[in-house]
Amino acid sequence: MNAADKSLSSSDDAPLLKLAAIDLGSNSFHLLLANYQAGQLQVVAKQGEKVQLAAGLDEDGMLSEDAMQRALNCLGQFAPFIDGIEADNLRIVGTNALRAAHNSQTLIDRAEELLGHPIEIIAGREEARLIYLGAAHALADVHGKRLIVDIGGGSTEFIIGEQFEPQLLESLHMGCVAYTKAFFTDGEISEKRMRRAELAARSELASIQRSYREMGWEDPVGSSGTIKAAASVLEAHGWAAHGLVTREGLQRLRSVLLSFKRLDKVNLPGLKSDRATVFPAGIAILCAVFEALGLEQLRYSDGALREGVLFDLVGRNTAEDSRITAIDLLRRRYSIDTRHADNVRTTALALFDQVADAWTLGTTSRQMLAWAAELHEVGQAISHSQFHRHGAYLIEHSDLQGFSRPEQKALAFLVRAHRRKFASRELANLPLTLQPRIARLARLLRIAVMLNHSRPEQPVLGTRMNAKGDELTLSLAEEYRDHSLICDDLNQESDLQKAAEMTLILKGFD
């Protein structure tokens, strides 16, 4: 049990949380429902379906309509299970196929309308972190480092960690569906094709092989479908003990697969029929992993991405929230003026609390505004000129642990929009469902920055703000009404918001 679990299990009266995770993988979609109480996760329901989204990617990186329809049909089956789950207790994440597809937003928009919940595309290393979290919780605690390998439909994740803390994370562009398309297109299985797939995987692995072997591990573990299926087939043949994949067993399995000669002929005890056509490509990747990392065996873990998503949900908005660590690392790496950033955050949150009800803004929005205030000057590490643009670039393109891509883009936008002309064009590039809320947060951040422009010792407080629709009214505290810099800055800000077709009314000063 990690610290987040302990903090929630300190009382016998801990609340029961109904949690849900949906994993939109490149091969399969999975739904996991669970109850969480007093540090214990009890699975209520599991659903999974082979959608093979990655198979629907054409040469131009566009998802076909057929692939989208398969995805929507599957999500339509999931929808009744998540009815009534609170928004903060549900997370839907997309992985490699949605990362790669140029038209992924089209599918996301349709899926969000169907499910009534936002969908987040997560970066490869964030996927790796969540996989590790899920696998680590499913395994008995060991002393020393463990290696987690997770072969998916479009990518393969590698993590070295200890207990619940990942130390090395990587996501490589190789997966069973993608490699089936690339190396077994016409359905033929041959030594030449298998070897080509293995060599391609070895080429991908070359970038991480040395660093992973130098760090080392005591406990090699595999997760997700390909490795689960391999362990099941080896056990059914008596080639390995339950839950194990061995080097010798893997080579025997490879030979048997070659004997089938065609993908549609693959039929093995312990192998589900809906995985058979992508199984040889997955085994090619697994053979390459064994060779590159010098493995003799892997043991299978039932925990993977969807379990990791649930445990991450439990830790969100607590001291264990991994996003807090990511924000702190950025603050220290780029030597942000901590006192000024904290002053802006304090002012911004004071403004937020006055309009939250009128604007129906919740805890998630409040946290996003706080982080944007803490990071609004991060771009000054590159240059003072246009530092808001530099800051937005740094945030959007950094590996921020715990953040999904939409969250990073929203945070980057807030930093970009905190000064000068309101960034209406960049706002239009955010998902439609996010735009109204993020625009409102940007307005609050801009005002907080203006109020603290002179970098005072203490945050500027005592202002009164009201919201009526998108119209904001700001009354400055009496002690600041003679402060010419603040008054001038706010008058300019009123004009800038007016130019962006927003209304900021200033009362009590010239």
Side-chain angles (χ1 to χ4, degrees), residues 144-177:
K145 296 184 179 71
R146 59 164 57 103
L147 166 73
I148 307 289
V149 178
D150 186 293
I151 299 173
S155 64
T156 299
E157 281 66 48
F158 299 84
I159 314 97
I160 295 177
E162 195 163 358
Q163 295 183 332
F164 297 104
E165 294 299 323
Q167 298 171 357
L168 205 56
L169 298 159
E170 195 53 78
S171 177
L172 300 182
H173 296 292
M174 55 187 194
C176 61
V177 178

Side-chain angles (χ1 to χ4, degrees), residues 18-19 85-91 117 313-314 316-317 362-364:
K18 294 183 178 181
L19 306 175
I85 301 286
E86 292 185 16
D88 288 343
N89 294 336
L90 166 65
R91 195 173 180 199
H117 290 276
L313 274 174
V314 172
R316 286 205 159 193
N317 299 315
T363 303
T364 300

Side-chain angles (χ1 to χ4, degrees), residues 228-247:
K228 180 181 181 180
S232 178
V233 172
L234 293 185
E235 182 184 7
H237 283 83
W239 295 340
H242 175 70
L244 279 182
V245 178
T246 63
R247 179 185 286 264

Side-chain angles (χ1 to χ4, degrees), residues 32-335:
L32 182 61
L33 298 178
N35 291 332
Y36 187 91
Q37 187 174 38
Q40 300 297 316
L41 192 70
Q42 180 184 20
V43 173
V44 174
K46 282 185 175 183
Q47 294 284 326
E49 185 172 329
K50 296 288 186 297
V51 174
Q52 294 200 345
L53 199 60
L57 279 170
D58 65 22
E59 293 180 356
D60 297 321
M62 302 293 283
L63 281 171
S64 68
E65 179 58 33
D66 283 347
M68 290 192 193
Q69 198 57 56
R70 290 197 302 272
L72 293 169
N73 290 343
C74 175
L75 293 177
Q77 296 176 38
F78 289 175
F81 289 91
I82 63 173
D83 187 40
I85 301 286
E86 292 185 16
D88 288 343
N89 294 336
L90 166 65
R91 195 173 180 199
I92 308 170
V93 299
T95 59
N96 186 263
L98 288 174
R99 290 195 291 267
H102 298 313
N103 61 337
S104 60
Q105 193 59 48
T106 301
L107 173 57
I108 289 171
D109 289 343
R110 293 165 69 180
E112 287 181 342
E113 183 177 0
L114 173 66
L115 297 174
H117 290 276
I119 293 171
E120 309 170 23
I121 300 178
I122 55 175
R125 287 181 179 171
E126 173 63 5
E127 182 180 354
R129 184 188 72 84
L130 292 170
I131 287 168
Y132 182 82
L133 191 59
H137 275 281
L139 296 166
D141 195 16
V142 296
H143 297 290
K145 296 184 179 71
R146 59 164 57 103
L147 166 73
I148 307 289
V149 178
D150 186 293
I151 299 173
S155 64
T156 299
E157 281 66 48
F158 299 84
I159 314 97
I160 295 177
E162 195 163 358
Q163 295 183 332
F164 297 104
E165 294 299 323
Q167 298 171 357
L168 205 56
L169 298 159
E170 195 53 78
S171 177
L172 300 182
H173 296 292
M174 55 187 194
C176 61
V177 178
Y179 269 40
T180 299
K181 285 184 64 178
F183 302 104
F184 303 93
T185 308
D186 60 1
E188 180 186 343
I189 308 171
S190 65
E191 175 64 33
K192 181 178 179 180
R193 289 168 184 264
M194 186 70 80
R195 191 62 186 153
R196 283 180 59 206
E198 290 168 347
L199 288 173
R202 286 296 303 270
S203 178
E204 287 287 331
L205 284 155
S207 64
I208 70 166
Q209 180 176 333
R210 176 179 292 181
S211 59
Y212 273 67
R213 295 186 75 157
E214 285 178 351
M215 177 170 281
W217 55 83
E218 287 77 41
D219 184 26
V221 177
S223 61
S224 291
T226 290
I227 295 173
K228 180 181 181 180
S232 178
V233 172
L234 293 185
E235 182 184 7
H237 283 83
W239 295 340
H242 175 70
L244 279 182
V245 178
T246 63
R247 179 185 286 264
E248 180 184 354
L250 194 56
Q251 289 305 310
R252 295 175 79 169
L253 175 55
R254 183 184 187 277
S255 297
V256 170
L257 287 172
L258 288 172
S259 71
F260 288 109
K261 300 188 183 303
R262 293 199 56 82
L263 296 179
D264 57 7
K265 300 295 185 182
V266 173
N267 184 14
L268 290 163
L271 180 65
K272 294 180 179 179
S273 58
D274 59 3
R275 180 167 290 276
T277 56
V278 298
F279 191 55
I283 293 302
I285 294 170
L286 189 54
C287 287
V289 170
F290 265 67
E291 289 298 321
L293 300 183
L295 298 176
E296 292 300 322
Q297 68 175 40
L298 280 175
R299 65 183 178 116
Y300 173 70
S301 166
D302 232 0
L305 177 58
R306 53 198 174 276
E307 288 81 10
V309 170
L310 289 187
F311 280 107
D312 195 58
L313 274 174
V314 172
R316 286 205 159 193
N317 299 315
T318 73
E320 298 301 314
D321 194 331
S322 58
R323 296 173 298 175
I324 295 173
T325 302
I327 297 295
D328 187 55
L329 284 172
L330 278 183
R331 284 170 60 127
R332 288 188 280 113
R333 179 182 300 165
Y334 295 109
S335 302

